[in-house]
Amino acid sequence: MLRSLFPNVKMADLIEATKETIYMTGISVLGTFIFGIALGLLLYLTAKDGLWANKILNFIVATVVNVFRAIPFIILILLLFPFTEFLIGTIRGPNAALPALIIGASPFYGRMVEIALKEVDKGVIEAAKGMGAKTSTIIFKVLLPESMPALISGITVTAIALISYTAMAGVIGAGGLGDLAYLKGFQRWDFDVVLVSTILIVLIVFLFQFLGDYVSNKLDKR
């Protein structure tokens, strides 16, 4: 029955492409979470009245974040080809997509982290400072734990954006479901391949959304 509905779909190709998409998304989400939190903390801590208030450093970090957020992802991939080839040794395949995915998503998530940190009750921070807590203690014992539900919600939104980024990266040879849909579907005019690839991408989005919502609700103490 399924074979008659989707005559051009090869199960082996579909499984491999799905694995590549999940791999690219998973690794890039982890990298984006780490670098995004670092960027968000820098934006928050160096802002006016921040613990590390520094107007020049804040301006530099904010400029870098805004510039990379403004570059369309497909163009960013092309701009990063020399860096990717130097770092990975190739510009094709799932691993080659990771630098662009992480660099493209981290500034976006960094702004979300900054917003989440600004929502932390100032009174809690002042109380920690009043008890002589070090900046590192305030960051790891107050700011990050208090903002964690919002941070998880933010990385969930970012993960969904990253799934669409992997599809775009696939068009230029990164592999995954985007590659399958374009090279083995659209270019061969086999739209059953495009349709099945799209359905699987949507299912992966639903999976990440469900997991993100579940973890965020578990961490929310309100």
Side-chain angles (χ1 to χ4, degrees), residues 39 65 69 103-113 154 157-158 161 165:
L39 286 172
V65 166
R69 286 176 66 204
I103 292 171
S106 293
F108 174 75
Y109 182 56
R111 281 296 186 189
M112 289 189 170
V113 172
V157 172
T158 307
Y165 287 175

Side-chain angles (χ1 to χ4, degrees), residues 163-198:
I163 293 168
S164 70
Y165 287 175
T166 66
M168 282 187 273
V171 171
I172 54 174
L177 290 166
D179 180 273
L180 182 68
Y182 182 70
L183 294 180
K184 296 184 179 179
F186 176 75
Q187 287 201 337
R188 296 178 182 178
W189 221 242
D190 293 336
F191 280 95
D192 55 336
V193 177
V194 178
L195 176 61
V196 173
S197 300
T198 304

Side-chain angles (χ1 to χ4, degrees), residues 7-20:
N8 301 299
V9 175
K10 295 179 180 178
M11 190 58 65
D13 290 343
L14 205 60
I15 292 171
E16 183 63 24
T18 302
K19 286 164 59 178
E20 288 175 345

